[in-house]
Amino acid sequence: MPTPEVTPAAGRPPARRGLFRTKSVEQSILDTDEPDSRLRKDLTAWDLTIFGVAVVVGAGIFTLTARTAGNVAGPSVSLAFVFAAIACGLTALCYAEFASTVPVAGSAYTYSYATFGELIAWIIGWDLILEFALAASVVAKGWSQYLGTVFGFESATMKLGSVTFDWGAVSLIVVLAILLAIGTKVSSRVSAIAVAIKLAVIALVVVLGLTYFKASNLSPYIPPAEAVDDAASGLHQSLFSFLTGAEGSNFGWYGLLAAASLVFFAFIGFDVVATAAEETKNPQKAVPRGILGSLAIVTVLYVAVSLVLTGMVSYTELAGENATLATAFELHGVHWAKNVISIGALAGLTTVVMVLFLGQTRVLFAMARDGLLPRWLAHTGSRGTPVRLTVIVGIICCVLAGFVDFGTLEEMVNIGTLFAFVLVSVGVIVLRRTRPDLPRGFRVPWVPLLPILAVVACLWLMVNLSVDTWIRFVLWMLIGVAVYFAYGRRHSKLGKAEREL
């Protein structure tokens, strides 16, 4: 029996009902004016650009670059960053169009609600919970490790019986929770200071590194391919290798493409900028500028650092799992550079955790406002911030960062992010067809070609993740579907309105 249709407003397509009922863009924007759940509009394009740079440039620029050059790509790691930036850029264009069309908190969740319907929106919201909360906790533990290096003590952990408690990570999350509860503008100012510190450290690294630069170290730019001796097998191998039986190699063109898959994850986080669209003064213009501007800045930084690094020393001297940017300076006798780089990493990770924390609260805020989570969670205090959600997310992240040893779970962040990227890219094509009348502050050129290329690039990166990561991801999604049918479907605002017809 066909699903009955709700009579559409003039100029709008018929609304779907049931599991795939959609929330109109107009209704999403109208909901932002609810007195009890209204976010304060304080942010500018400059604030969003700072948030973007804050969340993308973390410790990875000081560690991932060296390891990828020494073990996978050689000097061509700089080209790998360009390839990864292109893949990110395609997705960023799609985020920019959506954010300028639907300037509402929730990012990919809100966009999916307007295009694919409620069930898919819930799934992507559940997926973003995995991305932001897990990532914030993982990065907080990394921050804790650098804390000891900078201040000269052995470890920021302590034993509580048989359990190891990471007090450094928990302290960071508590401080950031307080800042985010006070106000997003205050958080932006703190981010700006931390971003200035890490950019100063990166500038120092580049300028100092150029004094040891030798063009001969960049040759061969793409080293000859080498077979991988310790290739992963079973559930630890990539899904692509599992399905095709293909064996990878380091260096060569295959190594270059594999390196692009690795360094892609250094760009993850720019999508968090879209979650702050509702708190932006002129979102139609500011959000696209923030997303694309921050991506352009970090691409230049990554390419510059990777070129300087591989020009300072031969890539063969960066082989191994312990190579960092400091390794290249130590080989030239500049031992103090390690402490400077650690300060930059500490500042970098501080802002990463802050913006991921912000993104998590805004996605949950949007889901609660729609009734898919308890509505009381969407209450905003006198400062126009979701204080209740901030406290709850802070407690969860404290437990995760304080007591959980994540190990290989970090890849879960990557697959969750890429899944969101795929849906947003497809969503641009869908919304262009279903709502061509909507005003768009930014439009992706060459639709559907560019969104399709974004989907292909993200799917390629996803199949390069391990089989056990895919299994964990599917299990997490199944748990999310169960939660939706147990709670979200019955309490949805759209569902209640549908039952009243």
Side-chain angles (χ1 to χ4, degrees), residues 222-288:
I222 303 178
E226 296 177 4
V228 181
D229 295 327
D230 57 345
S233 59
L235 296 180
H236 299 297
Q237 65 183 314
S238 72
L239 182 65
F240 180 75
S241 297
F242 179 79
L243 295 175
T244 64
E247 294 185 2
S249 64
N250 288 337
F251 308 111
W253 281 100
Y254 189 93
L256 173 58
L257 293 175
S261 295
L262 290 174
V263 301
F264 173 87
F265 304 125
F267 289 92
I268 285 177
F270 70 84
D271 55 312
V272 182
V273 174
T275 66
E278 192 174 325
E279 296 162 88
T280 305
K281 294 178 181 178
N282 185 3
Q284 285 76 15
K285 292 183 178 180
V287 178

Side-chain angles (χ1 to χ4, degrees), residues 339-357:
N339 293 329
V340 174
I341 289 172
S342 295
I343 292 172
L346 194 67
L349 292 179
T350 300
T351 58
V352 172
V353 177
M354 175 182 284
V355 183
L356 288 171
F357 196 149

Side-chain angles (χ1 to χ4, degrees), residues 156-237:
T157 60
M158 60 186 294
K159 281 287 186 180
L160 296 177
S162 60
V163 178
T164 300
F165 175 64
D166 194 329
W167 60 264
V170 170
S171 299
L172 174 66
I173 291 171
V174 169
V175 171
L176 295 183
I178 293 171
L179 288 174
L180 289 172
I182 291 173
T184 312
K185 190 67 176 180
V186 174
S187 305
S188 174
R189 290 169 181 163
V190 174
S191 288
I193 295 171
V195 167
I197 293 172
K198 66 181 173 183
L199 291 185
V201 171
I202 292 172
L204 175 63
V205 165
V206 171
V207 172
L208 182 61
L210 284 173
T211 63
Y212 300 100
F213 187 90
K214 290 184 180 179
S216 58
N217 286 327
L218 298 179
S219 183
Y221 186 67
I222 303 178
E226 296 177 4
V228 181
D229 295 327
D230 57 345
S233 59
L235 296 180
H236 299 297
Q237 65 183 314

Side-chain angles (χ1 to χ4, degrees), residues 36-37 122 126 129 363-379 386 388-389 392 483 486-493 496:
D36 189 51
S37 56
W122 167 268
W126 187 255
I129 292 172
V363 170
L364 292 175
F365 171 82
M367 296 173 74
R369 188 165 58 189
D370 291 333
L372 300 182
L373 292 174
R375 285 271 298 167
W376 59 268
L377 291 174
H379 174 76
R388 295 173 181 175
L389 266 176
I392 292 171
V483 173
Y487 182 89
R489 186 185 183 192
R490 292 184 293 111
H491 293 84
S492 161
K493 280 179 64 178
K496 289 181 179 179

Side-chain angles (χ1 to χ4, degrees), residues 26 39 114 118 132 140 157 217 261 281 305 327 340 348 366 385-386 425 430 454 470 479:
E26 290 82 0
L39 296 171
E118 186 172 283
F132 293 147
T157 60
N217 286 327
S261 295
K281 294 178 181 178
V305 169
T327 304
V340 174
T385 60
S425 300
V430 173
W470 275 89
I479 293 171

